[in-house]
Amino acid sequence: MTDFISRREFSIEWAYCDPTGIVFNGRLFEFFDWGTWTLFEAALGVRPSELAGVFGIAGIPLVDASARFLNPARFGDVVEMSSKVKEFRRASFDVEHCLFVGGRLAVEGRETRVWTTRDASASSVVRSEPIPDAVIARFRSQ
Amino acid sequence: MTDFISRREFSIEWAYCDPTGIVFNGRLFEFFDWGTWTLFEAALGVRPSELAGVFGIAGIPLVDASARFLNPARFGDVVEMSSKVKEFRRASFDVEHCLFVGGRLAVEGRETRVWTTRDASASSVVRSEPIPDAVIARFRSQ
Amino acid sequence: MTDFISRREFSIEWAYCDPTGIVFNGRLFEFFDWGTWTLFEAALGVRPSELAGVFGIAGIPLVDASARFLNPARFGDVVEMSSKVKEFRRASFDVEHCLFVGGRLAVEGRETRVWTTRDASASSVVRSEPIPDAVIARFRSQ
Amino acid sequence: MTDFISRREFSIEWAYCDPTGIVFNGRLFEFFDWGTWTLFEAALGVRPSELAGVFGIAGIPLVDASARFLNPARFGDVVEMSSKVKEFRRASFDVEHCLFVGGRLAVEGRETRVWTTRDASASSVVRSEPIPDAVIARFRSQ
C-alpha cells in the first residue's frame, strides 16, 4: 500500500439520484473515476488532460471495478471521498476509494487499472507497459 | 421540412429517473442524440460510427438544443420517438424529435447541428462546411 | 430580471466527455440543474433536499429547457457557472445559466420551471400554484 | 445456479462513450441494472414498475457490484447481454451479466441485491426480508 491519499468533497446532486432518492450505483463509478484523476494529479503534479501526453501513454483504462454499498447516500448529502493506490504491480495497479457521509462509511470502491501505450503498428490497439519507477515513487514519497 | 422520418421505441429505465420517478431532463437530450444518429443511419445507409469517415467530416456537433416537457415519462413507460430534419440550411440543420407515451405527446425536442470538417492546419479546430446536396437529397427522396 | 446571482465552479470530468473530448450536451442540462438548486439554496437559505418540505410543494419541475453551445468545454476545463432567475411569473419562472471557460462564454442555458403542489385527491398529480411573494422577494432583496 | 436466463440486445450509443471512444464504465452498471429488471420481468411476469407493489416490498437495492472489462465496447457496437441469478440466499441474491460484442465476451458483471421491505415504524428505513419461495421457484422452473 502506498502512503499518498487524496481527498475530494462533493454533494449528492438531484441528477445522481434514482426514484428511491439515493445515488444510482453507476454514478458511484463516476465518483471513483473522479477520485483516480484527482489522486494522480495530486501525486504527479500533472493535470488529468495532460497525463497521457506527459507520460507518452494511451491512458490508464479500467480492467476491473467493484463497489460495496454500506449506507445510502441521498440527495443533498455531503460526501467526503478519499482515494489511494492500494497496490502497484508491474503494469497495473489498484485504487481504493472510501466515501463517507456524515463521518460514516457509505461506499467502498476498488478499481484495477492498466498503464497502457498505443501499439506502434495499430494506433487503435493499446498494450500494457511497465509503470515507470518514477511514477510509483511519487506515490510513496509524499 | 424533409419527408424522411425515423422511429425508435424504448423503455424508460430505472437509471433514467429522478427522485420523483420521472425521467431526468438531461437524459432526454441523450434520447434526442440517439434519434439523430438513428435518423442519419436510416436516411444515408451509413452506420453512425462510420459517418465521419464516409463523408470526410469531423462530425455533426450541436450548437443549440431545446426541449418542451408536456407530460411526464415514468419508469417503465414505453416511448415512441419520431425524428426528422425540420430544415436544412447551407451548413447547419434542425432535427425535431417527438416522444410519445401511450399515444400522447410527452416531449418535443429540437437540435441544431452543424456539418463540420477539421481545419487542415489545426486538427483540434472544426469549421462548418456546406452540407453536400447528395446528403440532403437522401432525406427528400425516401 | 432579478438581482440575485449564484456562482459555482467545477471541472469537466472524464465521465462527462464524448468521443470528441468535449462535454456531452445532456450533461450540460445536469449542470443547469445543479445551478438552479444552488441558486435557490443561496437565495432562500433552504437546503435543496428540504425545499419541498419547507414550502409545502411537490417541487419545481421543468417544462422547458434550452442551451446554446458557443465554445466547447473539454476534459479538464474549469467552468465558472453563474445562475439567476430571469423572470418570475405567477406560477412559473425562467432561470438563466452562463458557463464560462477561461473567461469566455462557452454555454448559455435557460430553464422554465413551475412551482407545483400535489393534488389533494391524487398524490401522483401535480398542479401549478402561485409562487409566494416572500420567495420572489428573497431574489430581489439580496 | 438457476436455469432462467434473459437476454437483451442494444447498441453502444455516442452518449455512452468516453474520449477514447469506448463505453464509460459507469454506463456498464446501468446496463447491468437494465439486465436485472429485464430478468425479473421475464421470470416473474411482472412489469418492473409494479414489482414493488405486487410483492409488497421496498425494492431490490444493490449492496455490491463488480465488473471485469475484458474487451472494449465501442460506439456503434451491438451488445448481446445475458443475465441470470447465480445464487439465491435467504434474503439476498447474485445476478450475473455477460456482455458479448461480435460473439466475444466483452464485459462480465455481478450484482448482489437484497429483497427489502419498509420498516413499519420508519418508512425511510428498509430491512432485508426472506425472498418468497414462490419467487425463487419461478427462476428454476422455466
Side-chain angles (χ1 to χ4, degrees), chain D residues 93-142:
Chain D
F93 56 96
D94 297 332
V95 189
E96 186 187 79
H97 308 279
C98 294
L99 281 71
F100 296 87
V101 174
R104 196 163 66 152
L105 185 59
V107 180
E108 255 182 14
R110 179 80 67 105
E111 299 177 313
T112 301
R113 292 174 176 263
V114 180
W115 192 265
T116 61
T117 52
R118 298 211 173 280
D119 193 279
S121 57
S123 71
S124 70
V125 175
V126 298
R127 60 166 82 213
S128 67
E129 191 80 7
I131 305 166
D133 290 341
V135 165
I136 297 174
R138 297 285 297 179
F139 284 82
R140 292 250 159 75
S141 61
Q142 297 182 25

Side-chain angles (χ1 to χ4, degrees), chain B residues 8 13 27 30 47 76, chain D residues 8 13 27 30 47 76:
Chain B
R8 188 166 167 157
E13 303 291 341
R27 291 284 184 164
E30 289 190 19
R47 297 183 58 210
Chain D
R8 189 165 167 158
E13 302 291 341
R27 292 284 184 162
E30 289 191 20
R47 296 184 58 211

Side-chain angles (χ1 to χ4, degrees), chain B:
Chain B
M1 192 185 314
T2 61
D3 310 302
F4 196 78
I5 295 178
S6 76
R7 298 180 201 281
R8 188 166 167 157
E9 186 182 303
F10 54 92
S11 293
I12 299 299
E13 303 291 341
W14 179 261
Y16 303 165
C17 294
D18 73 14
T20 62
I22 68 171
V23 181
F24 180 75
N25 87 91
R27 291 284 184 164
L28 289 157
F29 293 88
E30 289 190 19
F31 303 160
F32 303 160
D33 192 75
W34 298 357
T36 296
W37 289 110
T38 302
L39 173 63
F40 270 67
E41 179 168 16
L44 301 177
V46 174
R47 297 183 58 210
S49 57
E50 292 164 6
L51 185 72
V54 166
F55 290 98
I57 57 176
I60 48 173
L62 275 176
V63 291
D64 203 288
S66 63
R68 292 175 60 215
F69 311 104
L70 306 164
N71 285 294
R74 298 178 197 283
F75 174 45
D77 281 347
V78 176
V79 175
E80 302 269 357
M81 176 167 64
S82 64
S83 303
K84 68 179 168 200
V85 174
K86 194 82 179 172
E87 186 186 357
F88 276 112
R89 289 174 298 274
R90 201 189 69 92
S92 67
F93 56 96
D94 297 332
V95 189
E96 187 187 79
H97 308 278
C98 294
L99 282 70
F100 295 86
V101 174
R104 197 163 66 152
L105 185 59
V107 180
E108 254 181 15
R110 180 79 67 105
E111 299 178 311
T112 300
R113 291 174 177 262
V114 180
W115 192 264
T116 61
T117 52
R118 298 210 173 280
D119 193 278
S121 57
S123 71
S124 71
V125 175
V126 298
R127 59 166 81 213
S128 68
E129 191 80 8
I131 305 167
D133 290 341
V135 166
I136 297 174
R138 297 285 297 180
F139 284 81
R140 292 247 160 77
S141 60
Q142 296 183 28

Side-chain angles (χ1 to χ4, degrees), chain A residues 89-102:
Chain A
R89 288 174 297 274
R90 200 188 69 93
S92 67
F93 56 97
D94 297 332
V95 189
E96 187 188 78
H97 309 279
C98 294
L99 282 71
F100 295 86
V101 174

